[in-house]
């Protein structure tokens, strides 16, 4: 089984999404960032506006539009702390 990331997406009021994922992609003030298992620890500021995409095993993906906040990568996984987060509308 491929190595997984533990991911938590948390807004000010609630935990929005939590689970295992193969990859997380987020737009930070430094540009688009892709995080895979084993990524070096980092702390990034999310761009305004930003989107967080979580790729799960089996090819499923969930995406959230987020406003404000940070992305933290540690040995335990990825945490996104956002001021607000809502399910992204699919691109047409």
């Amino acid at each position: 089984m491929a190595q997984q990331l533990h991911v938590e997406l948390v807004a000010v009021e609630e935990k929005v999404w939590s689970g295992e994922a193969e990859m997380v992609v987020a737009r930070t003030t430094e540009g688009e960032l892709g995080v895979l298992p084993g990524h070096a620890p980092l702390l990034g500021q999310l761009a305004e506006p930003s989107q967080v995409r979580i790729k799960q095993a089996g090819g499923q993906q969930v995406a959230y539009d987020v406003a404000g906040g940070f992305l933290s990568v540690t040995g335990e996984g990825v945490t996104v702390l956002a001021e607000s987060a809502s399910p992204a509308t699919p691109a047409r």
Side-chain angles (χ1 to χ4, degrees), residues 1-90:
M1 183 169 154
Q3 195 173 9
Q4 299 276 296
L5 288 165
H6 181 72
V7 180
E8 291 195 351
L9 175 58
V10 181
V12 172
E13 302 288 324
E14 62 181 336
K15 184 180 288 188
V16 177
W17 192 91
S18 180
E20 303 303 307
E22 292 182 345
M23 182 177 185
V24 176
V25 178
R27 191 165 45 249
T28 70
T29 55
E30 302 291 316
E32 187 119 314
L33 177 70
V35 179
L36 295 166
H39 196 287
L42 69 82
L43 181 64
Q45 183 177 359
L46 295 173
E48 296 259 14
S50 188
Q51 187 177 86
V52 174
R53 296 187 309 276
I54 303 165
K55 182 182 176 198
Q56 300 170 274
Q60 290 183 299
Q61 180 172 285
V62 292
Y64 290 89
D65 293 321
V66 296
F70 295 88
L71 171 101
S72 170
V73 180
T74 66
E76 282 77 54
V78 178
T79 302
V80 179
L81 302 168
E83 290 175 22
S84 67
S86 59
T89 52

